Amino acid sequence: MPSEASLPLTATVRLPRVRGLRVRGQILTRAAELASIDGLDQVSIGRLATAMQMSKSGLYAYFTSKEDLQLATIDCAWRVFEEHVLQPGDDAVEALLERWISYYEREIFPGGCLFVTAGMEFANRDGPVHDALAAALERQVAALEGAIARAGAAGDDDAASLSATDAGQVAFELHAVLTAGNQRFRISRDAAAFAHARAAIERLLA
Amino acid sequence: MPSEASLPLTATVRLPRVRGLRVRGQILTRAAELASIDGLDQVSIGRLATAMQMSKSGLYAYFTSKEDLQLATIDCAWRVFEEHVLQPGDDAVEALLERWISYYEREIFPGGCLFVTAGMEFANRDGPVHDALAAALERQVAALEGAIARAGAAGDDDAASLSATDAGQVAFELHAVLTAGNQRFRISRDAAAFAHARAAIERLLA
DNA sequence: CCTACCGATCGGTAGG
DNA sequence: CCTACCGATCGGTAGG
């Protein structure tokens, strides 16, 4: 029995497992791209398999069901959002907001923010996918609220008066303006939407 | 040939045509309800036929294709929006905005505003359905802009300074806040979203 | 308005 | 990871 442990299991098992994780990541990235354009539900197992040049049942080696795939896709998309908007160091409100708009503007997801699209898609349904999307929305607003509160605590010029009114209220308004910028850019295909969003933010922070 | 005109065609043709229009209206109302909940694409001919207790091909007596049905549904939903929000007489900005929020709050469409849901659903697609939804969004913003401009012209106290800044910018922000209220109410199922929206409006008009 | 049908695609499974 | 298959549903048509 102890001899089992000395077998080169790490080599024969861990390597494919690492590769499997990498492939899984590639599938999820592709799924998030497609979902941002067409919505989560439109990303069928068949279409995604074709896009990845594998068979449908090949995908089922990585995901147990479509819902499982959708949840993993949301997770992947959230990590992308965090990486581009929340984590890059400078957590001043203005810097955070500019990164946020720029993340829409540069089309990090080719179809715009996945959370706006998929959020409304699942708004009226129940279940884990709805809950994951609702949680992502809450986390987005909480990130804004946190940045406002931190700015107020640091004694920032405008920011202090901002959090004095109500950080939650300002966070709602900022989030509304940000997502409206994305929304109007996607639907009207007019980059003026971002100019509107930036002007609104300037007014809000003044 | 002139005798044809004296035949009672009006009785045998117009009556069924009137009934046909009424049935068509009922189908579209049901379609708009379902689409507000699940999205336009999820309203399949089969599901809608079952909901109306008729056969699929029965529906094809009223619509030539699914796209035709979707365009007619958008038309129907717009008329409902107009009736509840735009037309009721008092075109002061505050009254218009209160009707708008109330229209979300009372769930005139059971799944919230069809234009927000379907707008994002078709945001990245091309074709007549996208164009119809984009036009509806533009008309919504234009209605807000018009109300602001009229208030400014009438020499309203706050309103004059409002349109002085930029009616288009204020309309963008009001629309952002309105739709964000609907969005967060649908996803988070928390009526506090409307309190946020009302507070935002008060701040914007002050 | 109906029944009956078309080919395509859906999510998912069997068996390897 | 594959082929081959399942029942269900899709948009749409034929023919009445």
Side-chain angles (χ1 to χ4, degrees), chain B residues 101-160:
Chain B
I101 293 188
S102 163
Y103 153 85
Y104 290 148
E105 211 165 22
R106 288 179 298 149
E107 301 185 273
I108 301 300
F109 292 106
C113 188
L114 179 76
F115 300 103
V116 182
T117 314
M120 282 313 290
E121 189 182 1
F122 284 82
N124 297 296
R125 310 190 203 178
D126 291 326
V129 178
H130 164 272
D131 295 349
L133 290 166
L137 189 147
E138 306 290 348
R139 256 176 284 155
Q140 286 191 334
V141 179
L144 291 168
E145 206 173 325
I148 294 164
R150 272 194 306 279
D156 235 326
D157 33 338
D158 313 324

Side-chain angles (χ1 to χ4, degrees), chain B residues 30-188:
Chain B
R30 196 89 187 80
E33 287 171 10
L34 293 174
S36 78
I37 296 173
D38 295 320
L40 266 176
D41 251 2
Q42 298 295 321
V43 183
S44 70
I45 307 284
R47 280 183 61 198
L48 183 57
T50 303
M52 294 304 294
Q53 304 196 68
M54 55 168 71
S55 69
K56 276 169 54 179
S57 60
L59 275 188
Y60 277 103
Y62 296 96
F63 310 98
T64 63
S65 68
K66 191 179 181 183
E67 186 177 280
D68 181 44
L69 166 67
Q70 290 177 333
L71 290 170
T73 303
I74 293 168
D75 239 62
C76 170
W78 178 260
R79 253 173 277 125
V80 172
F81 175 78
E82 260 187 332
E83 182 192 329
H84 283 87
V85 179
L86 299 185
Q87 283 178 353
D90 187 354
D91 59 353
V93 184
E94 290 85 355
L96 171 64
L97 292 170
E98 182 50 34
R99 282 198 304 272
W100 202 310
I101 293 188
S102 163
Y103 153 85
Y104 290 148
E105 211 165 22
R106 288 179 298 149
E107 301 185 273
I108 301 300
F109 292 106
C113 188
L114 179 76
F115 300 103
V116 182
T117 314
M120 282 313 290
E121 189 182 1
F122 284 82
N124 297 296
R125 310 190 203 178
D126 291 326
V129 178
H130 164 272
D131 295 349
L133 290 166
L137 189 147
E138 306 290 348
R139 256 176 284 155
Q140 286 191 334
V141 179
L144 291 168
E145 206 173 325
I148 294 164
R150 272 194 306 279
D156 235 326
D157 33 338
D158 313 324
S161 67
L162 256 185
S163 66
T165 50
D166 182 352
Q169 177 64 29
V170 178
F172 170 87
E173 296 184 33
L174 287 173
H175 192 263
V177 157
L178 286 165
T179 54
N182 177 65
Q183 209 152 326
R184 287 196 61 185
F185 176 61
R186 302 315 315 181
I187 299 176
S188 303

Side-chain angles (χ1 to χ4, degrees), chain A residues 19 54-55 57 62:
Chain A
R19 185 178 183 277
M54 55 168 72
S55 69
S57 59
Y62 297 96

